[in-house]
Structures are given as C-alpha cells and as structure tokens.
Amino acid sequence: METVSVLRVTSAELKVSLLAASAILCESTGPLDVVCQAKFWSLATIVKGWPEVDECTPGMNNLMLVLKPGTRNIRQLMDDLVHEWKHVEPLSAKAKEIEVPVVYGGERGVDLRSVASHAGLSVDEVVSIHSSSRYTVYFLGAHAGFGYLGGLDERLTTPRLDKPRLSVPAGTVAIGGVQTAVIAQPGPSGWNLIGRAEVDFFDPKKEPPALLSPGDTFFFRCERIEK
C-alpha cells in the first residue's frame, strides 16, 4: 500500500492511501469529530466531479474514492487530495432534527443490563444518559437506512459482542463500541441491544427512502423502561 505523508491541519490530520490499484482512502488520524466529518462531506462534493473518480463514498471520518479504469495519474490525485483538504471548509449540511421515541429494555433490549454493568451504572442511569444526548448522523452504511451516529457519551462505550446474533429486528436501538444507532433492516448484528424504536428508517416507496441523512441531528426520547 502506498501512502502519502500525513498533513497536519487545525481540525485533524489527513492520511491518503492507495487501496489495491483502483481506489484511494482519505482518513482522519484524529478523534471522531463532527467538524472533521463535515470537511469530508465538503471534500466529497469537490472530488466527485473529478474526471478520474468513478465513485465517492464518505465514511466515519474518512472518504473513499473508486477510480475509473485506466487511471494512471494516481500519485498526482493523492497529492491533489492533500492540497484540497488543506483549504476545504466544513460543509454546512441541510440538516433536520429527528426525535425518536424508544422503549428501553424488554425483549428487544436484552443487553441493557450488561451495558449498565459494563459502565458501572444502573439501568435508569444508562437510559437517562443515552436519551439526553444529542447525536449527529455521520454517514449511512452497513445496510439501507442505517445511520452511524456520533455523540455517544463515553461512559456508555461498550465492546461489541464476541459472537454476533444472526437476526436482529428493524427498529432495534443498539450500542457498538463508541457509537449508537438504530437497526434499520433485519439482519445479523454484533451490537448490544438496548431497546426498540417504533419508527421506519427505510421505506423504498418514499423519496428519499432513508429517513436519515448525513448531518442530521438525532435525539432519543424515553417512552418507558421495560425490566
């Protein structure tokens, strides 16, 4: 893997790496930060118009570019990305505020007690902290409608399960490492399940089909706690 030098800027450092021979990954080497994330949104709007770029996908404090077949000036592209990062301003996304009612615990929140035990807190304290925080949608990924949220209180950081569950229902609220989210589509997950949200996060009949967009502000509201 070829890597350009790390550029230090005021909000974060940038590392640009070649992935195989057909993609470039731009990464922040600093902590998760919404301002840094907004810079990647802005960088994406610039580079997606470059003639060598076939696809541009923002991630969690990173950006991946898939190059068009036959692209030869890859090293120059990497240098150009470093240059753009130095001057790009954070993108002010057209964000909306979303509040989601949650029933914590119960059959859909079977890991709530283990999250509380790991944090050295009571179940009520975990719910209070989780539902009083303000979250930002960093990007969509993993599956349709799934939004990675930044802003989880560090006291609730909980390692993912050693053995993922094979099927988790849509609408399940979960914690995985330093992040929290709502499972938007049924499927396997290694996240800790703490509750359920009766909200449809993805509907292919709607436009746009996903409820969440990068930059949205997200709140959980506790409806009740089932023990």
Side-chain angles (χ1 to χ4, degrees):
M1 178 180 291
E2 180 184 359
T3 305
V4 300
S5 59
V6 174
L7 174 67
R8 295 187 179 277
V9 293
T10 56
S11 60
E13 298 174 346
L14 184 70
K15 181 173 72 173
V16 181
S17 304
L18 181 64
L19 300 180
S22 60
I24 294 175
L25 181 65
C26 305
E27 303 172 272
S28 166
T29 59
L32 296 179
D33 181 274
V34 68
V35 175
C36 180
Q37 185 71 19
K39 287 191 67 173
F40 278 114
W41 297 335
S42 184
L43 184 63
T45 64
I46 295 172
V47 302
K48 69 180 181 181
W50 289 2
E52 304 88 350
V53 176
D54 189 42
E55 184 178 341
C56 182
T57 306
M60 181 66 75
N61 274 197
N62 63 53
L63 178 68
M64 186 182 73
L65 310 181
V66 177
L67 306 179
K68 292 180 179 178
T71 298
R72 297 181 180 276
N73 57 336
I74 295 177
R75 181 71 193 199
Q76 183 60 53
L77 284 174
M78 297 169 78
D79 290 340
D80 291 344
L81 286 163
V82 173
H83 176 77
E84 290 291 347
W85 180 260
K86 183 177 179 179
H87 301 286
V88 73
E89 294 293 330
L91 179 66
S92 179
K94 296 179 180 179
K96 55 185 179 293
E97 290 192 355
I98 299 170
E99 184 179 76
V100 173
V102 177
V103 176
Y104 287 90
E107 293 182 356
R108 296 275 290 277
V110 294
D111 298 319
L112 179 58
R113 289 188 178 279
S114 62
V115 169
S117 176
H118 181 269
L121 300 169
S122 69
V123 166
D124 288 352
E125 287 172 327
V126 169
V127 171
S128 176
I129 294 169
H130 188 264
S131 61
S132 63
S133 297
R134 176 189 180 100
Y135 302 94
T136 300
V137 180
Y138 273 20
F139 75 106
L140 303 184
H143 57 259
F146 184 84
Y148 286 86
L149 307 180
L152 180 68
D153 191 295
E154 62 182 12
R155 291 173 290 178
L156 302 187
T157 297
T158 310
R160 300 186 186 189
L161 305 177
D162 292 333
K163 184 178 180 180
R165 293 182 173 90
L166 296 180
S167 183
V168 175
T172 302
V173 182
I175 290 176
V178 299
Q179 292 179 271
T180 187
V182 181
I183 307 298
Q185 300 287 322
S189 176
W191 289 38
N192 301 275
L193 315 183
I194 64 171
R196 71 178 188 272
E198 299 300 334
V199 174
D200 192 355
F201 283 81
F202 185 81
D203 185 347
K205 298 178 182 178
K206 292 184 178 180
E207 183 56 44
L211 175 65
L212 305 181
S213 299
D216 286 350
T217 300
F218 193 100
F219 302 90
F220 292 104
R221 172 168 51 84
C222 179
E223 288 281 275
R224 66 182 184 275
I225 302 175
E226 295 182 349
K227 299 182 179 179

